Amino acid sequence: YMTFQLLIRISFFVPTTKTFIVNSGGVLTIIEAVKAHEEGPQDDYLFKSSALGLLTNLSLEVDDIIKAEVASEECVDLVLECMKRWPEKEYAQKRGCIYFYEVGQIDEVKDLMHEKRVGVPIIDALDRFRERNKDVHKWAMQALVVYARS
């Protein structure tokens, strides 16, 4: 959890670290850590939402090759799980919508997004946060537009 939190901050403030994290096998490490953690006693939300936050930061990379690495099926599944499992958590909903907005820019990912039905949790976030949190609502709207165009 703390390692993810540190990497979230570093990847936000030092953008070049995103490429380094991805090129050094960081995406696979995130997925493997989440899988290993599922059998541990720690708070599932803190750990998985931190992984979600890091994947979202990595998806903000302008390089499509890096962005495509973060848009793997396992990553999409993790983001979807967080959004579906914690629909009331603003952080999970906002970061999930940002992630789908970003990876949805890649043509190859659009079919996967439709296959996984990512529009369902996006629409849920759009409705749920319409009045409660304008920032989450804004990102849900943007993600939905990208999803609808594909």
Side-chain angles (χ1 to χ4, degrees), residues 43-124:
D43 184 322
D44 203 31
Y45 174 72
L46 288 178
F47 194 81
K48 286 189 176 178
S49 67
S50 296
L52 166 62
L54 183 53
L55 288 175
T56 301
N57 279 10
L58 296 176
S59 76
L60 297 169
E61 178 59 48
V62 294
D63 184 328
D64 281 350
I65 295 170
I66 300 296
K67 194 176 287 212
E69 181 83 20
V70 180
S72 71
E73 185 170 0
E74 289 178 310
C75 293
V76 168
D77 287 342
L78 174 61
V79 175
L80 269 175
E81 178 191 352
C82 288
M83 291 184 76
K84 289 178 179 179
R85 195 162 170 199
W86 296 291
E88 296 293 332
K89 298 285 191 179
E90 293 176 5
Y91 182 84
Q93 299 307 306
K94 178 181 174 183
R95 301 300 281 179
C97 288
I98 293 170
Y99 172 86
F100 285 124
Y101 171 77
E102 290 294 331
V103 301
Q105 309 291 329
I106 303 170
D107 289 334
E108 297 81 31
V109 178
K110 292 178 180 180
D111 288 339
L112 178 62
M113 288 175 64
H114 280 285
E115 177 186 318
K116 298 289 183 174
R117 300 184 48 144
V118 302
V120 174
I122 292 171
I123 290 170
D124 186 45

Side-chain angles (χ1 to χ4, degrees), residues 1 4 30-48 85:
Y1 157 74
F4 285 156
I30 293 167
I31 297 301
E32 288 176 355
V34 168
K35 287 178 182 176
H37 178 83
E38 289 176 347
E39 298 173 14
Q42 299 93 343
D43 184 322
D44 203 31
Y45 174 72
L46 288 178
F47 194 81
K48 286 189 176 178
R85 195 162 170 199

